[in-house]
Amino acid sequence: MDIWIYFTLLAAFMQAIRTAGQKKLSAHLNSMATTSVRYVYALPFAWLYLWWLLEFKGHEMPELNASFVQSALFASVAQIIGTACLITAFRYRNFSVATSLAKTEAIQVAILGATFFAAPLSFWGWVSVIVGVVGVIIVSKVKFNTTDLFKNPGAGFGVLSGLGLAITMLLVREASLALNTDLMISAAVTLVFMITVQSVISLAYVAIQNSAQLPLMLKHWRVCTFVGITSVIGSIGWYTATSFHNTAYVKALGQVEFFITLFITYRIFKESISKMEYLGMFLILLSVFILLLWA
């Protein structure tokens, strides 16, 4: 298999685990503090990963050009907004609607990439993305109706989260390719640059908005460290995969995250799976086969 597939599967698995940690953490911290934890506690591990690549892989640190800085800065802000919207969506009662709409990130990446980033998909690529999104929505047990879509704030935050994260990944690829160096290194440099910027921005915002959250971020350091480590490993996967391949295909394959989450949940809690959930999982797997075999 191509290298981007391995990194995408790694990212999907770690993101499924990290999301569980963020859900738990959101019970103790507000949305922006929980978002900040993702960056602050991941920062030292991101620098350590870059150092390891440079020292033990024999690569040199590339020069940061204007194109890279611009794309990376915009991506940093977009990811903060997308993550904050997702965590805010967690707080609303209709959780399944909000989180499922956030998972429309894959189709939003495909549309934005084809429209603004000169990254079109093949016919089978579009089929894979659409089938996967439908599968995720079915597995989520979402019951869409007018009230959910127009009166549930969680639904709005879900869509905004998907949009913010879609823009983030498209800009991450732009930033990484702008460095014109080994893609493993460019992905790592992009990751370190963005997490550093995001740590400063999010911490400053938390300090101004509600400084009482700062000691809580230290108090719950175990969960915060868990979120930070799983976040940085997941980000290494996403950033490296999207540096090697079209972002829309990466996010389409990344939809297996939902399948992984469901599998882990049922293995742990021994819950039964409904026929509709089996259908949803089948569609997610079908989308992956279409992507890998024909797209």
Side-chain angles (χ1 to χ4, degrees):
M1 291 191 296
D2 293 336
I3 189 171
W4 72 272
I5 297 175
Y6 291 109
F7 276 104
T8 300
L9 294 177
L10 170 66
F13 179 73
M14 296 309 300
Q15 184 163 304
I17 297 176
R18 185 204 72 207
T19 300
Q22 284 184 307
K23 291 176 187 175
K24 182 176 181 180
L25 195 58
S26 64
H28 306 288
L29 304 176
N30 65 23
S31 297
M32 200 59 203
T34 305
T35 301
S36 183
V37 164
R38 172 183 176 179
Y39 307 122
V40 175
Y41 277 83
L43 185 59
F45 300 104
W47 277 102
L48 183 63
Y49 173 66
L50 176 59
W51 172 81
W52 175 75
L53 283 180
L54 294 174
E55 289 294 320
F56 293 93
K57 294 296 182 178
H59 294 289
E60 295 183 358
M61 181 70 180
E63 182 178 349
L64 307 186
N65 53 58
S67 179
F68 166 83
V69 172
Q70 179 179 340
S71 295
L73 284 176
F74 279 115
S76 299
V77 175
Q79 189 172 48
I80 290 176
I81 294 173
T83 303
C85 286
L86 179 60
I87 294 170
T88 301
F90 288 163
R91 301 179 184 277
Y92 287 90
R93 189 171 184 178
N94 201 334
F95 173 79
S96 61
V97 172
T99 51
S100 294
L101 287 172
K103 294 303 179 184
T104 61
E105 174 192 359
I107 192 69
Q108 294 191 63
V109 165
I111 294 172
L112 292 173
T115 306
F116 299 106
F117 291 85
L121 276 68
S122 67
F123 169 78
W124 287 112
W126 281 108
V127 171
S128 173
V129 170
I130 294 171
V131 169
V133 170
V134 172
V136 166
I137 292 174
I138 290 175
V139 170
S140 304
K141 302 179 183 178
V142 176
K143 296 179 181 179
F144 289 110
N145 55 55
T146 304
T147 301
D148 286 334
L149 293 177
F150 296 101
K151 293 185 179 181
N152 173 30
F157 280 113
V159 173
L160 288 176
S161 173
L163 177 61
L165 297 176
I167 293 173
T168 297
M169 293 311 300
L170 288 165
L171 289 174
V172 163
R173 177 171 170 79
E174 292 291 307
S176 181
L177 296 181
L179 292 176
N180 295 313
T181 187
D182 179 89
L183 292 179
M184 291 282 290
I185 294 296
S186 64
V189 171
T190 304
L191 174 63
V192 167
F193 180 91
M194 286 180 56
I195 291 184
T196 302
V197 170
Q198 290 164 331
S199 296
V200 173
I201 293 175
S202 59
L203 271 180
Y205 185 87
V206 170
I208 295 172
Q209 179 202 43
N210 187 354
S211 59
Q213 294 289 309
L214 296 177
L216 292 177
M217 292 169 63
L218 294 174
K219 178 181 178 180
H220 300 285
W221 65 270
R222 290 182 178 84
V223 180
C224 290
T225 302
F226 175 82
V227 170
I229 293 175
T230 52
S231 177
V232 76
I233 296 175
S235 293
I236 289 171
W238 289 127
Y239 285 35
T240 307
T242 199
S243 295
F244 275 92
H245 201 56
N246 186 317
T247 305
Y249 290 117
V250 171
K251 298 308 294 187
L253 178 58
Q255 290 179 119
V256 298
E257 173 205 344
F258 208 99
F259 181 84
I260 294 170
T261 301
L262 197 64
F263 177 78
I264 292 174
T265 299
Y266 286 124
R267 289 289 294 178
I268 293 175
F269 297 106
K270 308 297 182 181
E271 298 177 5
S272 60
I273 303 177
S274 69
K275 292 180 180 179
M276 286 301 291
E277 287 174 313
Y278 275 120
L279 173 61
M281 289 189 289
F282 169 76
L283 290 176
I284 293 172
L285 291 177
L286 177 62
S287 73
V288 172
F289 281 117
I290 292 172
L291 177 68
L292 298 181
L293 295 178
W294 297 308

